[in-house]
Amino acid sequence: MLNLTIKDSFNKELPVDLVKDNTRRQVVEACFSFVKPKKTSNPKILHVSEDMASRLGFYEEKTSSEAFKNIFTGNEIYPNTNPYAMCYGGHQFGHWAGQLGDGRAINLFEVTHNKKNWALQLKGAGETPYSRTADGLAVLRSSIREYLCSEAMYYLGVPTTRALSLALSGDQVLRDVMYDGNPAYEKGAIVCRVAESFLRFGNYQIFTARGDLKTLKTLVDYTIKHHFKYLGEPSKNTYISFFKEVANRSLDMVIHWQRVGFVHGVMNTDNMSILGLTIDYGPYGWLEGYDHGWTPNTTDNTHKRYRYDSQPEIVLWNLYQLANALYPLIEEAEPLEAILESYQEEFPKKYLKMMHYKLGLFSPNEMDEKLIFNLEEVLHKTETDMTIFFRLLSSVSKNDTVKEAIRKIEKAFYTSSEVVGEIKKSWENWFQNYLDRLEKETVLDEERKAKMNTVNPKYVLRNYMAQLAIDDADKGNYALLNELYELLKKPYEEQPKYERWFAKRPEWARNKVGCSMLSCSS
Ligand code: AMP
Ligand code: MG
């Protein structure tokens, strides 16, 4: 037996779908539907996050047991638990899409351990009433991407959902990767995701959209009771503070994304966690060349709604939608508007503070804003790797000449031969100003370097790295998957044995599917 401390509340305290059969339909006046995971033909656990497992109260021998395998691939149901899929809606690419819901996520149960409550869900475990036209399954490539990246984000210090396990289902899944009429079979996989809660903005929106204020209130009160207890008993004022908290957390989350160069790719309101966690790792990506206009999602290639520099604004847009959803419980627009305005005031301040840290500017100075703005401009002049640039910037010393300083970061340039003439001059100017500014810093070079290295990661999960692990795993070789997992557990440490991953994206990966752009197919 696994001996977990089960403490279900979502499927015990909230209204359930009264229709019992697992057919695709509109589910009304309910927060979820009971549904059992699909049985898999030949499940195999590929990886377990031992850190997550120990937080849930597992011991190592238990995660290698048959019971673990069966429960976390859907073949067995943990005694006295009732798996379910959640009902939610959402705005997709700016348009209200109606009911979406857990189309392929099945929540297993909630676990309490060390005074913390966790919800566990399987992604890719079969059809639910919310599956719409799709099959409820997930393929190995997207599951590896979600598994590795959610754990990598956690170790980067970015608020995120986590993962407990990655498994093959043993079944084949049909996907048309490029949406060009060439479907092919791929290996099916299941990730067990873990978070304090998987509630999204869309969970609230759906009830307001349907005029079902009773269920809306029940869900908001439940959320406050279980996840925002410190705000007090539910009341109009508490609802306002609740919205303020969600706005603050969402802002913190997106500042972290900008800091590490993460682009989510599909910031629809159904992919916005009410707890301010990064959720739903689909066609995400990491900035390689520092390019504000970049998005990894091929589906968004024309409008680039979810490009890197729009992310903070999109969070705000999504918060407007949440404000609209909560409005019927508050019936006053002003306090909600004030919170949205304060987001707009706070964002530039927090962004600048984060950038100060990335640049190692710890004693505030009036020239800083311009210095930061100018850096963003120069970084766009020639393709410059974001991660490598900021990491190497910490080795610049106050006593360097401009030439020495540029030499220290030049590994970040994709085409060094372009750094001549005007471009070279811009870099020289910028470094001259930066070195002048460092003069005014009171901390020593070594101390500044150490502090900068706590916010500028050395290793991130570049798309081509994930793709290499996927290609190997597809052939049954998991060594690289294991290696990347280990590497990404310590993204801020030097880790000399993994130095080969401190490298720019290789040229072969520039336009390769999975390495630069990704479709939503998963
Ligand atoms: P996403 O774009 O991944 O956030 O998904 C949007 C909606 O589509 C959610 O309601 C998902 O549950 C659903 N969905 C995505 N892929 C599948 C699938 N293979 N089967 C069923 N539902 C899916
Ligand atoms: Mg989603």
Side-chain angles (χ1 to χ4, degrees):
M1 249 341 287
L2 296 178
N3 263 336
L4 297 169
T5 311
I6 305 289
K7 200 177 166 209
D8 285 340
S9 66
F10 195 96
N11 62 357
K12 290 199 163 147
E13 296 178 24
L14 291 167
V16 59
D17 173 13
L18 297 174
V19 180
K20 294 294 167 219
D21 43 313
N22 189 0
T23 50
R24 294 146 198 244
R25 56 200 152 77
Q26 293 292 308
V27 173
V28 295
E29 292 173 8
C31 292
F32 67 94
S33 311
F34 284 122
V35 50
K36 295 204 168 34
K38 182 180 181 222
K39 293 242 189 296
T40 49
S41 65
N42 187 17
K44 182 179 171 190
I45 299 279
L46 298 183
H47 203 281
V48 173
S49 161
E50 291 301 341
D51 175 77
M52 193 63 246
S54 73
R55 283 170 200 272
L56 292 167
F58 286 108
Y59 302 99
E60 207 166 313
E61 65 276 16
K62 300 245 163 99
T63 58
S64 52
S65 66
E66 274 297 296
F68 184 96
K69 180 176 85 180
N70 287 332
I71 288 168
F72 295 106
T73 55
N75 276 0
E76 214 178 279
I77 290 177
Y78 196 88
N80 305 317
T81 62
N82 286 300
Y84 60 97
M86 290 185 190
C87 178
Y88 56 78
H91 278 88
Q92 298 187 312
F93 296 93
H95 304 281
W96 177 243
Q99 177 181 297
L100 298 167
D102 285 332
R104 58 167 165 181
I106 298 183
N107 300 275
L108 296 181
F109 43 74
E110 294 165 51
V111 170
T112 291
H113 188 64
N114 285 341
K115 300 198 179 116
K116 232 186 120 69
N117 218 54
W118 301 95
L120 282 77
Q121 69 170 212
L122 301 183
K123 185 166 176 180
E127 284 173 44
T128 76
Y130 312 95
S131 297
R132 298 182 292 155
T133 57
D135 58 10
L137 303 174
V139 292
L140 181 59
R141 67 184 149 78
S142 65
S143 305
I144 288 180
R145 284 171 50 81
E146 167 130 26
Y147 184 79
L148 281 180
C149 197
S150 60
E151 287 292 282
M153 291 284 265
Y154 167 73
Y155 288 107
L156 281 164
V158 183
T160 179
T161 62
R162 292 197 62 186
L164 169 66
S165 58
L166 166 70
L168 281 173
S169 62
D171 300 312
Q172 296 287 303
V173 174
L174 195 61
R175 287 289 181 270
D176 185 356
V177 181
M178 296 315 291
Y179 299 128
D180 59 0
N182 287 306
Y185 280 101
E186 299 184 43
K187 290 183 180 175
I190 298 176
V191 172
C192 176
R193 305 199 287 191
V194 186
E196 185 189 319
S197 165
F198 288 97
L199 281 164
R200 304 136 190 273
F201 289 10
N203 286 81
Y204 307 86
Q205 287 183 281
I206 188 79
F207 299 118
T208 311
R210 288 172 168 167
D212 179 2
L213 304 186
K214 182 168 171 246
T215 316
L216 173 71
K217 183 174 184 314
T218 307
L219 181 62
V220 172
D221 290 356
Y222 167 89
T223 310
I224 291 170
K225 175 178 163 200
H226 288 277
H227 306 292
F228 296 84
K229 210 178 175 61
Y230 55 91
L231 297 177
E233 290 298 312
S235 70
K236 208 156 145 168
N237 278 336
T238 313
Y239 299 147
I240 296 168
S241 334
F242 165 57
F243 182 64
K244 173 90 189 147
E245 270 298 293
V246 179
N248 286 344
R249 291 188 192 196
S250 306
L251 175 55
D252 284 345
M253 171 191 78
V254 77
I255 296 276
H256 277 292
W257 290 1
Q258 305 308 91
R259 171 174 69 81
V260 298
F262 175 79
V263 186
H264 183 285
V266 202
M267 295 174 68
N268 294 333
T269 56
D270 52 303
N271 290 338
M272 289 289 296
S273 145
I274 202 73
L275 301 180
L277 307 172
T278 313
I279 191 171
D280 278 11
Y281 291 85
Y284 66 81
W286 298 81
L287 287 194
E288 300 195 285
Y290 189 78
D291 173 3
H292 274 185
W294 187 72
T295 172
N297 185 354
T298 48
T299 316
D300 192 22
N301 212 5
T302 322
H303 301 294
K304 298 197 189 316
R305 177 178 170 87
Y306 299 142
R307 63 184 186 267
Y308 174 72
D309 71 346
S310 292
Q311 297 191 121
E313 220 177 288
I314 292 290
V315 166
L316 178 65
W317 192 92
N318 289 338
L319 285 165
Y320 265 95
Q321 311 317 314
L322 180 65
N324 283 333
L326 298 177
Y327 176 79
L329 302 183
I330 297 163
E331 291 181 312
E332 259 185 275
E334 291 76 23
L336 295 170
E337 277 162 5
I339 292 165
L340 293 164
E341 268 162 35
S342 102
Y343 177 101
Q344 292 174 75
E345 282 158 22
E346 285 299 307
F347 166 66
K349 290 189 210 152
K350 290 198 169 174
Y351 179 80
L352 274 180
K353 195 166 169 206
M354 177 275 285
M355 288 302 284
H356 271 98
Y357 230 92
K358 278 184 88 67
L359 268 72
L361 309 175
F362 302 114
S363 23
N365 184 290
E366 65 211 9
M367 15 180 329
D368 293 350
E369 204 169 327
K370 192 154 173 255
L371 191 69
I372 291 166
F373 178 76
N374 287 346
L375 173 63
E376 290 175 347
E377 264 189 354
V378 211
L379 280 168
H380 279 91
K381 288 191 190 248
T382 179
E383 195 179 13
T384 309
D385 193 271
M386 177 180 182
T387 304
I388 297 178
F389 174 80
F390 282 103
R391 185 69 182 193
L392 293 179
L393 190 65
S394 69
S395 55
V396 170
S397 121
K398 283 179 186 173
N399 302 325
D400 283 341
T401 61
V402 165
K403 211 167 159 190
E404 283 164 340
I406 294 180
R407 199 171 307 133
K408 285 184 175 168
I409 58 93
E410 74 188 352
K411 183 184 170 181
F413 296 136
Y414 275 82
T415 319
S416 295
S417 59
E418 270 182 24
V419 190
V420 288
E422 242 344 274
I423 298 178
K424 183 161 181 250
K425 220 168 177 172
S426 308
W427 273 112
E428 285 168 351
N429 282 343
W430 189 80
F431 267 106
Q432 188 57 62
N433 292 334
Y434 183 61
L435 290 168
D436 290 348
R437 174 61 184 81
L438 286 188
E439 280 296 315
K440 301 190 172 65
E441 279 298 310
T442 47
V443 299
L444 299 173
D445 282 342
E446 274 315 298
E447 196 188 330
R448 183 178 66 254
K449 178 176 182 167
K451 279 172 112 172
M452 286 170 78
N453 285 354
T454 64
V455 294
N456 295 320
K458 176 147 179 166
Y459 304 104
V460 295
L461 183 63
R462 294 167 188 267
N463 278 342
Y464 87 89
M465 293 162 66
Q467 191 57 41
L468 289 173
I470 289 164
D471 291 343
D472 282 2
D474 231 6
K475 296 182 207 121
N477 181 350
Y478 309 108
L480 194 50
L481 172 73
N482 293 329
E483 176 173 331
L484 293 184
Y485 190 91
E486 289 309 309
L487 166 79
L488 297 166
K489 266 161 85 171
K490 296 175 184 156
Y492 299 103
E493 288 181 28
E494 285 298 317
Q495 305 192 71
K497 71 173 169 175
Y498 294 132
E499 188 72 23
R500 73 181 175 113
W501 296 117
F502 184 57
K504 293 179 287 250
R505 171 202 55 224
E507 269 317 297
W508 61 259
R510 184 178 286 276
N511 298 309
K512 190 173 179 288
V513 176
C515 296
S516 53
M517 298 292 281
L518 289 117
S519 75
C520 285
S521 158
S522 57

